[in-house]
Amino acid sequence: MRQRWPSLLFSLCSLCLCGELSAASPSLGGIAPRGGQRGTEMAISFNGGRLSDAKEILFYEPGFTVSKLEVVNDSQVKATVKIAADCRLGEHAMRVRTSTGVSELRTFYVGALPNIDEKEPNSEFDKPQKIPLNVTVNGSIGSEDVDYFLVEAKKGQRLSAEVEGMRLGNAFFDPYVAILDMKRFELAACDDHPLLGQDAVASVVIPADGNYIIQVRDSAYTGSGEYRLHVGTFPRPIAVVPAGGKPGEEVELRFLGDPAGEIKQKIKLPTARMHPDTLTVGGREKFGVFAHDANGVSPSPIPFRLSELRNVIEVEPNQTHQNATPAGELPVALNGVVSKPGEADHYRFKGKKGQTFDVHCYARRLGSPLDSVMTIANFGGGAIIGNDDAVGPDSYFRFTVPEDKEYVLSVTDHLGKGGPTYFYRVEFTPVESRVTTSIPKVALYSQERQTIVVPRGNRYATLVQAGRANFGGELVIGANGLPKGIALQSENMQANLDVVPVVFEAAADAPVAGNLVDIVARHADPAQKIQSAFNQNVELVVSGPGQSIYWSHTVNRAAIAVADEVPFKINIVEPKVPLVQNGSMNLKVVAERKPGFKAAITLYMLFNPPGVGSASAVTIPEGQNEALYPINANSGAQVRKWKIAVIGQATVGNGPVWVSSQLATLEIAPPFVQFAMERGAAEQGKNTDIFCKVQHATPFQGSAKVQLLGLPNKVIAPEMQITKDTKEFAFKVNVDKTSPAGQHRNLFCQLVIMQNGEPIVHNVGGTELRIDTPLPPKANEPPKPAPAAAAAKQPDKPPEKRLTRLEQLRKEQEEREKAGKASGSPKK
């Protein structure tokens, strides 16, 4: 038993370590099915990797309740989800949180109609799948595939077919939809629509009782992917006027573009006002309005602006200055439609001298086909300011009223187009101070390190980016709703920067849990009030040409979680000396490992202060506990004490785990000394001096070592030492007879001053060395006599005056000219 006890103890330790080694961030590749009907309960599969420790589904919006969460295996989790009857229709974002991390973001669609599945074979017009009206079909398309569905409809009924394909965010699938009669005549067809991006919608009023075919395919017959096809008698307008309103008010809307005619509807708007920069997919507003009538509700919304501005709706005719729609005084929101080709809508308003407004035309951002051109002119006079494209195809400018009088704003289409759905909204907004926070991308089109996962008793660091608008100054970074046991540490974001490192630290006993958190920024001066909003964009479908973004989703909170403990930590050994401008340093990073954990740890510098550079990555080798991280500062590095952090990644179990160091202080300081170096010159095989004048800025104790670097091959100069009292010194430079001739530039000195037991490395001075080829010997020149065996002792001579570089060059030239005349050789 005594012999077996050590092996049993080792086995138990190994089992404990294996439990730790299972820790790794989860991945989420997809959700199936891609959508469901509100007011129902359904099973949803979350498919990916490292999901065996799944704990919950994180939903960005209310309306979902998980009654059961079942781990099928490491790559699949099934959740039984109840979708509330009042859940918002459309796209919703979700993540899986495990005990070891948070997955990527994926989307799920909520609809109003019951769901059925596509059934093959349905790829021939004569053999369609028969479906009832007012359903959502969950289907898929392969390359060169076409799906046909047969519905029965009556004369005068509205028949609408809308496809969610690219919007599902799975793959590059560009759907085409058509409604055909049984003679294959297209009653309506659509490829792309401004309201839906690359997705399609078709809608008609049925001309006669009978059967009709819905066709779904890829627009080029080459793509493949999943889709959700909504088929029914629901309304499907594609424009709305007005396109915005005041939060909390009841507004009457005119929905345009439905084949059955205009729909008038009153809607109570929500009370929350969206931040101006908070946008969703395709740059469109997150809030939208749905048309509904006795036959149902449109499957997707028309984006809608929420603002405190007074609405003005155009009154036709308004095609000239004289009949322009009166808009009164600013600020105001103007709403209308460029209803026919070549039309320009005009609005007449009063301005007061010195007023300044941001003037935005919202059209494409709201799903309108209008490519706006916007101009402000004096009433009855010439244009003052205008714009075509500023935010995509939408127009924008900042307008300062030049004097008290009346002005006219005009809106038209860039290509002279127009129609009943070419709607727009122009907002005159007083200039506001605001800031948008985000987590910068670490890889293009990737969700890598876009969540914040903090192991218990450990740290995680990220950069937080802040986009300032209409103000300057330092910012204080904070977070609302952090999970219990997590603390945020950050220094103020300097006025000249837009990023700052932020460290999140979890207590050893912090509950393993997660939240969606608003990362905010406020002005360092409490008297300065600014609006702050978090805005994180996730690209879901990226394809050619030129890696275009076809679908993305924006969220307004960051996913932050406490995870299980991991078997390593990292710490920066805070330097006791500054990093000087034009200097370098090796930053020491130490790893704390749990027994048995030996994996290599890759280190990355999270944040370089302005003017500071660092190695792209450094590795703590397997089984070792420390590494030196090279950093350097250029001559313009910003002088002050900065907070820095290093992040580390290691493979734990079957996936990556990230941790960070503490926020450590790095001081950037001016150089202690500066060198003024003279140029040097010598012939091959001879010696020369390079003189250096020393300018002291900061006194130092003891002596400092100086090396001359950048010397050409086989040229050496002994290391020198200087003190705080040294004013001038010279390098004795030995040039080999085989050293390369020519002008050798980029010589400089490396000065090392020891302070507090650590080196302060300076790169100072700069000069060049000219190496000449020796002149050929004179013809018939007798050999030089050997030196006397014992020369009589000569009296001491005073030291020769050191020649300046110019004097030395002149002397060398004179000697060369004399030697050339004596030997008959040409001058050099």
Side-chain angles (χ1 to χ4, degrees), residues 440-507:
K441 300 278 188 184
V442 298
L444 198 61
Y445 312 126
S446 168
Q447 296 189 49
E448 181 183 357
R449 286 166 40 203
Q450 296 289 287
T451 59
I452 296 168
V453 177
V454 193
R456 301 175 83 180
N458 217 313
R459 295 174 293 252
Y460 180 88
T462 185
L463 289 177
V464 170
Q465 189 167 36
R468 300 174 178 86
N470 306 314
F471 76 97
E474 290 189 16
L475 293 174
V476 180
I477 303 300
N480 299 325
L482 284 171
K484 186 178 179 180
I486 288 185
L488 179 154
Q489 300 167 13
S490 172
E491 69 170 342
N492 287 1
M493 183 184 295
Q494 297 300 299
N496 63 321
L497 297 181
D498 64 354
V499 293
V500 69
V502 178
V503 170
F504 296 84
E505 187 163 6

Side-chain angles (χ1 to χ4, degrees), residues 91-93 105-107 109 165-171 196-199 279-286 441 445-447 535-543 548-555:
E91 184 182 38
H92 290 264
L105 178 148
R106 301 298 174 202
T107 57
Y109 276 76
M166 195 78 77
R167 287 179 289 171
L168 297 182
N170 274 358
L196 310 176
Q198 267 63 41
D199 283 351
L279 305 176
T280 186
V281 290
R284 301 192 180 98
E285 298 298 323
K286 198 172 187 72
K441 300 278 188 184
Y445 312 126
S446 168
Q447 296 189 49
N535 189 326
Q536 196 70 34
N537 185 255
V538 179
E539 297 92 359
L540 296 174
V541 180
V542 180
S543 188
S548 299
I549 300 170
Y550 287 90
W551 200 252
S552 62
H553 188 91
T554 298
V555 294

Side-chain angles (χ1 to χ4, degrees), residues 95-220:
R95 298 181 188 269
V96 177
R97 184 187 68 81
T98 69
S99 62
T100 53
V102 179
S103 75
E104 296 92 340
L105 178 148
R106 301 298 174 202
T107 57
F108 179 89
Y109 276 76
V110 173
L113 303 175
N115 285 226
I116 64 173
D117 291 332
E118 176 218 358
K119 294 181 180 179
E120 295 282 359
N122 66 341
S123 298
E124 296 180 27
F125 183 88
D126 297 331
K127 297 179 181 178
Q129 177 182 347
K130 187 173 182 179
I131 61 173
L133 287 174
N134 297 313
V135 296
T136 296
V137 181
N138 294 306
S140 62
I141 285 284
S143 180
E144 299 186 5
D145 186 17
V146 180
D147 288 347
Y148 292 99
F149 302 91
L150 183 144
V151 295
E152 185 178 350
K154 296 185 179 296
K155 180 179 179 179
Q157 270 188 323
R158 178 201 297 119
L159 177 59
S160 300
E162 180 178 331
V163 181
E164 292 158 356
M166 195 78 77
R167 287 179 289 171
L168 297 182
N170 274 358
F172 184 81
F173 169 49
D174 183 4
Y176 170 94
V177 66
I179 301 174
L180 304 92
D181 63 18
M182 298 310 293
K183 297 178 182 179
R184 297 180 182 259
F185 180 78
E186 280 189 356
L187 302 179
C190 179
D191 178 3
D192 303 332
H193 196 281
L195 182 66
L196 310 176
Q198 267 63 41
D199 283 351
V201 59
S203 190
V204 297
V205 173
I206 294 299
D209 293 357
N211 292 329
Y212 293 85
I213 297 291
I214 310 294
Q215 179 196 67
V216 179
R217 61 173 173 83
D218 179 78
S219 61

Side-chain angles (χ1 to χ4, degrees), residues 115-422:
N115 285 226
I116 64 173
D117 291 332
E118 176 218 358
K119 294 181 180 179
E120 295 282 359
N122 66 341
S123 298
E124 296 180 27
F125 183 88
D126 297 331
K127 297 179 181 178
Q129 177 182 347
K130 187 173 182 179
I131 61 173
L133 287 174
N134 297 313
V135 296
T136 296
V137 181
N138 294 306
S140 62
I141 285 284
S143 180
E144 299 186 5
D145 186 17
V146 180
D147 288 347
Y148 292 99
F149 302 91
L150 183 144
V151 295
E152 185 178 350
K154 296 185 179 296
K155 180 179 179 179
Q157 270 188 323
R158 178 201 297 119
L159 177 59
S160 300
E162 180 178 331
V163 181
E164 292 158 356
M166 195 78 77
R167 287 179 289 171
L168 297 182
N170 274 358
F172 184 81
F173 169 49
D174 183 4
Y176 170 94
V177 66
I179 301 174
L180 304 92
D181 63 18
M182 298 310 293
K183 297 178 182 179
R184 297 180 182 259
F185 180 78
E186 280 189 356
L187 302 179
C190 179
D191 178 3
D192 303 332
H193 196 281
L195 182 66
L196 310 176
Q198 267 63 41
D199 283 351
V201 59
S203 190
V204 297
V205 173
I206 294 299
D209 293 357
N211 292 329
Y212 293 85
I213 297 291
I214 310 294
Q215 179 196 67
V216 179
R217 61 173 173 83
D218 179 78
S219 61
Y221 293 97
T222 56
S224 60
E226 296 175 287
Y227 65 84
R228 282 168 50 82
L229 170 66
H230 308 282
V231 179
T233 58
F234 50 80
R236 184 57 277 183
I238 53 179
V240 65
V241 176
K246 292 182 180 181
E249 77 171 359
E250 186 178 65
V251 59
E252 184 173 63
L253 305 179
R254 293 170 52 225
F255 287 100
L256 309 174
D258 187 273
E262 181 178 309
I263 302 170
K264 289 187 178 181
Q265 181 179 323
K266 287 186 177 180
I267 291 180
K268 177 77 170 178
L269 298 178
T271 57
R273 179 181 184 272
M274 292 180 56
H275 185 277
D277 290 338
T278 304
L279 305 176
T280 186
V281 290
R284 301 192 180 98
E285 298 298 323
K286 198 172 187 72
F287 179 73
V289 291
F290 294 82
H292 59 82
D293 61 15
N295 295 305
V297 59
S298 51
S300 56
I302 299 174
F304 191 86
R305 293 282 300 165
L306 293 176
S307 75
E308 297 292 343
L309 298 175
R310 172 177 56 91
N311 266 341
V312 169
I313 300 173
E314 73 163 324
V315 177
E316 295 279 8
N318 65 341
Q319 279 72 55
T320 68
H321 281 211
Q322 284 66 36
N323 64 8
T325 298
E329 294 186 351
L330 303 178
V332 70
L334 312 174
N335 303 268
V337 179
V338 177
S339 56
K340 55 187 176 183
E343 180 177 275
D345 290 347
H346 293 74
Y347 298 85
R348 184 174 173 177
F349 64 90
K350 295 178 181 179
K352 295 181 181 179
K353 183 177 180 179
Q355 289 180 310
T356 300
F357 297 93
D358 285 328
V359 186
H360 275 275
C361 181
Y362 293 92
R364 288 292 178 89
R365 284 175 282 181
L366 302 179
S368 170
L370 179 72
D371 181 359
S372 65
V373 177
M374 186 171 61
T375 305
I376 290 179
N378 293 305
F379 175 67
I384 299 172
I385 190 171
N387 179 256
D388 179 7
D389 300 336
V391 186
D394 282 352
S395 306
Y396 160 80
F397 48 71
R398 180 165 290 181
F399 174 59
T400 299
V401 180
E403 55 184 305
D404 292 357
K405 65 179 190 179
E406 288 191 313
Y407 300 88
V408 173
L409 178 133
S410 66
V411 179
T412 189
D413 185 82
H414 172 69
L415 297 176
K417 295 182 178 181
T421 62
Y422 279 63

Side-chain angles (χ1 to χ4, degrees), residues 612-632:
V612 173
S614 62
S616 59
V618 170
T619 299
I620 299 178
E622 183 177 346
Q624 297 187 26
N625 294 328
E626 62 182 55
L628 297 177
Y629 208 118
I631 59 175
N632 60 79

